[in-house]
Structures are given as C-alpha cells and as structure tokens.
Amino acid sequence: FRSNGQDAPVPDVVTPNQNYNDAKSALEAAGFTNVTQVCEEAQPGDPPGTLDKVVAQNPAAGSVVNKGIQVTLSVRKNSCP
C-alpha cells in the first residue's frame, strides 16, 4: 500500500541488535528522516549484549506510515540522565 510515495513500512531496527547510529542509517535509507532517541535504563535480567543497542521502536516494524512521521528508538543505557 502506497499513497503518493509518502507511505512506507518501517524497517525492523530492533531485531538486528544495532546501535542507534546504524539503526538511524537504516531508517534514513528507507526514507524515514525524523528519527529520535530515548534512553531506557538497563535493568537486572536484561538480555546480555543489549547495552547501547536499540531495544524498542515506535512505530513498530512493518507499520505502514508516512515517511515524515517521527520514529522513536529506545536505546538501553547503564543510566539515563
């Protein structure tokens, strides 16, 4: 589904276990240029290897949305400001 070429499925940037810059690049390559980062504080029991990685995205992967929409990426950190 496309309308005027402005709608596209959001790529999955969580499953590849990428850092923010790589995830942002993947989104930009798909035409999503309004990308922001939010901090998610690490908790005991988090899966290993997820520190400084994108652990959530909104809108969800596969959602067909306007490319101008803000895509928010949650990045796991030891502590958040």
Side-chain angles (χ1 to χ4, degrees):
F1 167 79
R2 297 208 187 268
S3 67
N4 305 328
Q6 294 305 303
D7 291 347
V10 180
D12 180 358
V13 294
V14 175
T15 304
N17 201 34
Q18 321 184 71
N19 65 34
Y20 173 74
N21 289 335
D22 290 346
K24 184 176 185 216
S25 294
L27 288 162
E28 288 174 344
F32 295 92
T33 56
N34 187 4
V35 182
T36 61
Q37 176 178 195
V38 295
C39 183
E40 179 178 301
E41 198 156 325
Q43 301 296 323
D46 283 342
T50 57
L51 206 57
D52 295 320
K53 303 293 185 185
V54 175
V55 294
Q57 66 183 79
N58 184 20
S63 301
V64 176
V65 296
N66 185 289
K67 291 180 186 176
I69 196 171
Q70 180 173 298
V71 180
T72 303
L73 302 178
S74 299
V75 179
R76 184 162 288 141
K77 301 277 187 187
N78 274 325
S79 63
C80 295

